Amino acid sequence: MMKHYTITVNGTAYDVTVEEKTGVAAPASPTPAASAVSAVPVQKPAPAATGSIDVKAGAAGKVFNIPTTVGQKVKRGEPVIIIEAMKMEIGVTAPEDGIVASIHVSVGDSIEAGDVLATLN
């Protein structure tokens, strides 16, 4: 029987397929004879539409809140995404006035410094 899982390790998502052998007594610890595992990195799909102004993360962390929506007007310095880094909530702000064209992350996503989290027009 094959089971499929998505597992995230250090911010990288992997699609994992596990084959469980029937009729074999389960050992105390998994062995290659008891199951076969394959892992392939998952690529995040590119957003359908993006704007010309990138809103980039200044630090690594996790997406804590998304107080904006696509189509919303934002002013320079206004938070577009809130991340949690080093046990602090940090606003990732609009670099200039614009309209949110795309949001590339979801609450709970792990991000790295420099990642494009959203775009503006």
Side-chain angles (χ1 to χ4, degrees):
M1 175 164 67
M2 300 293 281
K3 291 188 178 185
H4 301 281
Y5 301 94
T6 299
I7 299 173
T8 303
V9 178
N10 294 329
T12 302
Y14 295 89
D15 279 335
V16 179
T17 303
V18 178
E19 179 182 357
E20 294 183 1
K21 306 272 184 176
T22 57
V24 177
S29 63
T31 65
S35 65
V37 176
S38 65
V40 178
V42 175
Q43 297 294 325
K44 288 186 181 179
T50 61
S52 58
I53 304 163
D54 290 342
V55 179
K56 295 182 180 183
K62 286 196 176 207
V63 177
F64 180 74
N65 188 15
I66 304 173
T68 57
T69 58
V70 172
Q72 180 177 336
K73 290 182 182 181
V74 292
K75 298 278 187 192
R76 181 178 188 199
E78 183 177 342
V80 177
I81 307 283
I82 309 289
I83 63 171
E84 182 179 32
M86 300 176 288
K87 299 185 181 184
M88 297 184 302
E89 292 175 25
I90 302 168
V92 180
T93 60
E96 57 187 83
D97 293 356
I99 297 173
V100 178
S102 64
I103 298 175
H104 301 228
V105 293
S106 299
V107 172
D109 285 356
S110 293
I111 56 157
E112 296 295 326
D115 284 356
V116 176
L117 307 181
T119 61
L120 308 176
N121 280 325

